[in-house]
Amino acid sequence: MKALEGVRILDFTHVQSGPTCTQLLAWFGADVIKIERPGTGDITRGQLQDIPKVDSLYFTMLNHNKRSITLDTKNPTGKEVLERLIKECDVLVENFGPGVLDRMGFPWEKISRLNPRMIVASIKGFGPGPYEDCKVYENVAQCTGGAASTTGFRDGPPLVTGAQIGDSGTGLHLALGIVAALYHRTHSGRGQRVTCAMQDGVLNLSRVKLRDQQRLARGPLKEYSQFGEGVPFGAAVPRAGNDSGGGQPGRILKCKGWEQDPDAYIYFITQAPVWEKICDIIGEPTWKTDPEYATPPARLTKLNAIFARIEQWTMTKTKFEVMNICNAVDIPVGPILSMKEIAEDQSLRATGTVVEVDHPTRGKYLSVGNPIKLSDSPTKVERSPLLGEHTEEILRDVLRFDPGRISEIQQSGAVGVPPAIAAE
Ligand code: COA
């Protein structure tokens, strides 16, 4: 049995944040039924399309292992079907704009009346407060959650990161809330609301910067490069380039080939317990005992010079050579891997972290598999559904409608036309 086998999810999510959450639940074995608007479906099906009229990678990579039903929830018959689905499911997950579910005629009170065991899980951009009615996308959350103001270089503008901490990050948070609520229900017998604001999710991931904001009130942040450079701190945590976020100073350094290869770099951490090994490797054995270098506090004012010296050494090696030499003596380093290198990495394929998936209209493509591995509940990544692919199956098998009722529902316009599925 899969970990979440027997749990049925009514998946009202779209774009990235919500689908990330329900995809994880599907990977753990839940039956995820994605409700999509007839005709268009999740907007991402048609966004960033690399092959005309074929579900985009944006969609396919976020909607594995789900079933798709098309349903117009503003149509009276569609509302009846939705009510039946609410009665049959354990969790409703949504990331509509604020107020959408209420306007659809399905506020929490009604859902909980229809099915008191139902868990209703929502992602919104902001929690209650001045911005609660705002629509939000990834970068809005990165900016309002404290990530952008603390990312980038001191002399440059705030930066957003490529990691989708607002969307996928909040989806992860929500998934945890849902499994906690499912566990709680085993005691209480009741469902509850689970809400996660994207601003809150980003702030949770940026908590070390709120730590530094408070440390700043008591003096300069000595591990930030600007301290060693003698640049005074302002009132707020500054952008710290590639400085490490923790107590062990680190930097991104050039490696052999950096002139041609934009990713020939390595993150190098001067972890205090391995300082002597670093000195030996870079050819500065006197730094082991020289009081100007031997202790972490002494080094804080000289980080630029120290990393410049280490870089002289890393530039004589490829990033993988540096990785091998340093890891052999426990010096923590991280080569900057390009997406091309990651896509070709056989060890990531072997663990199922990168998977090749076959799709009836797209053909083969790569995706990121489940990063969370359960020993007794391994994940098998299945392709995403075509729009409305399972409409009839769900009406018949989940809602137990007879053929006559199914045909009435189809004629009412509440469900879309099933897709012509190419032979798989
Ligand atoms: N049948 C009928 N109508 C449907 C439907 C269905 N199956 N599914 C959705 N709709 C309707 C909704 O009822 C809503 O109509 P209304 O505005 O008349 O009430 C409409 O579609 C639009 O929904 P909304 O969620 O506001 O979509 P949007 O495209 O305008 O906004 C977001 C997109 C992402 C900005 C917004 O959903 C949002 O802020 N979500 C919360 C935060 C979030 O998750 N953001 C990140 C996304 S990755």
Side-chain angles (χ1 to χ4, degrees), residues 327-400:
N327 273 298
V329 288
D330 281 343
I331 300 169
V333 292
I336 307 304
L337 295 184
S338 69
M339 274 299 158
K340 182 171 185 297
E341 287 166 327
I342 286 173
E344 292 164 357
D345 186 320
Q346 291 310 308
S347 60
L348 292 175
R349 299 281 184 105
T351 57
T353 296
V354 174
V355 289
E356 191 176 76
V357 186
D358 204 359
H359 184 276
T361 56
R362 156 171 297 283
K364 288 192 169 45
Y365 66 96
L366 281 189
S367 195
V368 183
N370 192 348
I372 306 165
K373 323 287 188 200
L374 268 61
S375 61
D376 281 357
S377 182
T379 297
K380 181 168 185 332
V381 177
E382 310 275 3
R383 71 164 174 86
S384 59
L386 300 178
L387 178 61
E389 182 177 341
H390 306 96
T391 302
E392 211 171 311
E393 174 183 305
I394 289 161
L395 295 176
R396 188 186 61 232
D397 299 345
V398 178
L399 303 184
R400 299 175 297 282

Side-chain angles (χ1 to χ4, degrees), residues 179-330:
V179 290
L182 280 167
Y183 182 69
H184 192 206
R185 196 179 71 171
T186 62
H187 309 299
S188 71
R190 293 188 59 78
Q192 61 184 301
R193 295 186 80 172
V194 179
T195 52
C196 201
M198 292 168 70
Q199 180 186 36
D200 302 7
V202 170
L203 177 57
N204 185 33
L205 299 176
S206 306
R207 72 172 49 220
V208 295
K209 298 297 178 180
L210 186 56
R211 172 202 67 194
D212 289 351
Q213 181 63 40
Q214 295 169 89
R215 292 173 60 228
L216 190 55
R218 298 206 165 82
L221 303 169
K222 292 184 181 164
E223 74 285 5
Y224 281 49
S225 310
Q226 84 177 67
F227 173 71
E229 291 162 17
V231 178
F233 284 81
V237 173
R239 293 185 269 290
N242 289 317
D243 290 345
S244 148
Q248 311 287 353
R251 292 282 173 85
I252 287 185
L253 305 177
K254 291 171 184 156
C255 292
K256 198 177 188 174
W258 66 273
E259 299 91 335
Q260 292 82 37
D261 177 356
D263 297 309
Y265 288 84
I266 196 149
Y267 201 93
F268 196 106
I269 300 174
T270 53
Q271 194 200 9
V274 291
W275 174 246
E276 298 198 350
K277 293 173 181 172
I278 295 170
C279 297
D280 285 337
I281 276 184
I282 64 171
E284 295 289 348
T286 58
W287 284 4
K288 292 193 275 189
T289 47
D290 182 342
E292 287 294 309
Y293 293 92
T295 64
R299 293 196 286 275
L300 284 175
T301 52
K302 302 174 200 70
L303 290 178
N304 283 359
I306 290 170
F307 281 113
R309 176 65 190 93
I310 299 173
E311 190 171 58
Q312 274 179 9
W313 176 76
T314 58
M315 282 166 70
T316 65
K317 310 267 179 283
T318 69
K319 61 188 175 186
F320 296 111
E321 286 168 346
V322 176
M323 175 84 173
N324 291 339
I325 294 167
C326 288
N327 273 298
V329 288
D330 281 343

